[in-house]
Amino acid sequence: MTQTVIAFDFGTNSIGCAVGQSITGTAQGLPAFKAQDGIPNWEAIAKTLNEWKPNLLVVGLPLNMDGTEQPLTQRVKKFANRLNGRFNLPVILQDERLTTVEARAEIFSRGGYKALKKDKIDSISACLILESWFENQ
């Protein structure tokens, strides 16, 4: 069964977003959501979810390289719980170590420093989170 999955790369000022299909295992970036101290515009997220009608949500879980939690980890878990509570969709946490570094390298290879816009980095990070989740299925 083909699933539509939406992934989020949580940040306190911006939340990256990507959508993908389990049949292809690939993701495409969607516009990032602005956030105020980690609180997104929930109506904008609802609009995206209504448009794409995902079966599942994946949220990138920031961990230190040794696998321990970092200060942002608990906020990400809270965000994931709120997604589940508000939209009644299953939410899976996906290890996101190195995705922002990979996203910056990907963007830089395409357009140099001028292409390194924060919203693009967040959306590509969300793509990488989602594609790594597909690979692990």
Side-chain angles (χ1 to χ4, degrees), residues 85-98:
R86 283 178 179 263
F87 304 110
N88 198 28
L89 288 165
V91 179
I92 293 174
L93 296 171
Q94 172 68 30
D95 182 347
E96 68 165 34
R97 283 176 276 187
L98 298 179

Side-chain angles (χ1 to χ4, degrees), residues 30-50:
L30 297 175
F33 299 101
K34 297 289 179 220
Q36 294 288 323
D37 192 30
I39 300 168
N41 176 340
W42 290 108
E43 290 174 18
I45 291 177
K47 185 177 178 208
T48 297
L49 297 181
N50 287 333

Side-chain angles (χ1 to χ4, degrees), residues 94-131:
Q94 172 68 30
D95 182 347
E96 68 165 34
R97 283 176 276 187
L98 298 179
T99 56
T100 301
V101 173
E102 289 178 38
R104 286 178 193 267
E106 173 76 17
I107 292 167
F108 187 76
S109 72
R110 292 184 197 175
Y113 284 110
K114 290 181 180 158
L116 288 175
K117 292 191 169 68
K118 179 72 175 124
D119 59 337
K120 281 189 176 179
I121 293 169
D122 293 336
S123 293
I124 290 179
S125 292
C127 286
L128 293 168
I129 290 164
L130 185 49
E131 289 175 355

Side-chain angles (χ1 to χ4, degrees), residues 7-17 33 35-40 42 45 58-62 71-80 82-83 96 100 118 122 125-126 129:
F8 296 95
D9 179 33
F10 179 84
T12 56
N13 297 318
S14 178
I15 299 170
C17 187
F33 299 101
Q36 294 288 323
D37 192 30
I39 300 168
W42 290 108
I45 291 177
V58 174
V59 177
L61 185 66
L72 198 58
T73 306
Q74 286 304 315
R75 294 187 74 179
V76 168
K77 289 179 178 179
K78 189 175 183 179
F79 172 72
R82 287 195 173 141
L83 281 171
E96 68 165 34
T100 301
K118 179 72 175 124
D122 293 336
S125 292
I129 290 164

